[in-house]
Amino acid sequence: MPVPRMSAPPPVEPGLLSRALEVAGRLANDAAEVIIATAGRDRRCGEPENGPPGAEYKANPFDWVTDTDRTLERHTRRVLAAEFPGIPVVGEEYGADPGVAGAEYRWVVDPVDGTANYVAGLPWCAYSLALVDSSGPVVGVIADPNRAQIYAAARGRGVRSNGVPVRIAPRTSPSGGLVCAEQVTEPLLRRAAAAHTGIRVLGSAALAVAQVALGHAVAAVLDSYHEWDVAGALGLALEAGAVVVDRDGRANPLPAGGLLVAVPGVLDEVFGWWRASG
């Protein structure tokens, strides 16, 4: 299929972009320090019911929430309320502020994406923060604490990893590359293997999408997620030159109900695998 094109998003006032990037970067640095200091603390391997102090599960014993999740989201909300008093916040732990539905902008935060990894001490989790408008992510910032990296993007300003510009390299085939996923079907695995492409399931939707923006993966496929899982990383992917489509193959900067993020030259093939996998 031809690479779908998104309509150009509206420009954002430069002062707002600069200030949002600065504040989001500061919050990401704060979060990275806390996550590194506390990940896997007092975890007793082999005893899933005994997480670190302040940890509990929500829907099931693999759906963790921790004091770190709550503390980081409260800190994020306090800072954003002071710096951007007219912009509501949507977060994983404390929901949506009043007025989100009619707001021109909203902040979207996931204080620890990959909490199960964080609880276990597995070094693959992230802090994600995005400023979003009706056309998608305006600013996206991801803290990758275990690699000591802050990934940041703003509409029309590109992507930086610890201040260094990032742009994905063109490809014509997924062969030899990696596809990040969080849920994998047997048909997807079979088609990827036949094309000599690896599938990786690592436990953080934000970092899965970010790998495409950073040039480490050729695509990311997500079948289910919440807006806070992906908003920041999609900001990175779009600014790096990746294509984002929904389940019907339509360009969409922030899809609901399934998404594919891909290097443009591999979109057609990987979308075919995804569609065939049901």
Side-chain angles (χ1 to χ4, degrees):
M1 67 181 183
V3 175
R5 297 188 178 277
M6 295 185 191
S7 57
V12 178
E13 195 273 314
L16 174 60
L17 274 183
S18 296
R19 195 157 57 92
L21 266 177
E22 188 276 325
V23 173
R26 176 156 41 96
L27 285 165
N29 274 291
D30 292 345
E33 291 181 3
V34 172
I35 290 169
I36 285 294
T38 58
R41 184 180 57 192
D42 297 330
R43 180 77 165 97
R44 293 187 283 280
C45 291
E47 299 180 32
E49 71 279 9
N50 294 319
E56 58 188 88
Y57 56 81
K58 295 182 278 189
N60 61 67
F62 198 66
D63 185 15
W64 287 100
V65 60
T66 70
D67 279 349
T68 299
D69 292 276
R70 301 182 188 99
T71 298
L72 288 177
E73 185 166 327
R74 287 196 300 266
H75 174 62
T76 297
R77 287 174 176 272
R78 282 195 299 269
V79 171
L80 294 178
E83 297 280 354
F84 304 93
I87 301 180
V89 178
V90 179
E92 178 174 13
E93 307 308 333
Y94 296 105
D97 287 344
V100 162
E104 181 180 8
Y105 297 103
R106 65 187 179 277
W107 286 103
V108 181
V109 60
D110 189 343
V112 184
D113 183 66
T115 306
N117 289 346
Y118 165 81
V119 168
L122 185 69
W124 192 260
C125 60
Y127 170 88
S128 174
L129 181 61
L131 180 65
V132 176
D133 68 6
S134 61
S135 297
V138 172
V139 165
V141 176
I142 302 290
D144 186 350
N146 294 286
R147 272 151 289 282
Q149 296 285 320
I150 303 294
Y151 314 127
R155 186 176 292 169
R157 296 190 183 183
V159 183
R160 292 178 181 268
S161 175
N162 280 7
V164 178
V166 173
R167 185 80 181 173
I168 59 175
R171 291 184 67 113
T172 58
S173 167
S175 179
L178 295 175
V179 173
C180 293
E182 291 302 301
Q183 307 87 19
V184 181
T185 64
E186 190 278 332
L188 179 62
L189 282 171
R190 187 174 65 250
R191 286 170 170 80
H196 307 290
T197 303
I199 302 287
R200 295 293 182 268
V201 179
L202 297 169
S204 166
L207 289 180
V209 173
Q211 301 319 298
V212 184
L214 297 168
H216 301 154
V218 299
V221 176
L222 299 177
D223 290 319
S224 63
Y225 48 86
H226 298 283
E227 181 182 55
W228 51 73
D229 297 324
V230 297
L234 288 175
L236 304 179
L238 291 164
E239 283 297 312
V243 182
V244 182
V245 300
D246 63 19
R247 284 187 178 276
D248 296 318
R250 296 174 298 206
N252 188 327
L254 193 55
L259 64 82
L260 168 62
V261 182
V263 176
V266 310
L267 174 67
D268 191 19
E269 189 167 354
V270 178
F271 181 76
W273 305 344
W274 186 37
R275 183 169 53 189
S277 72

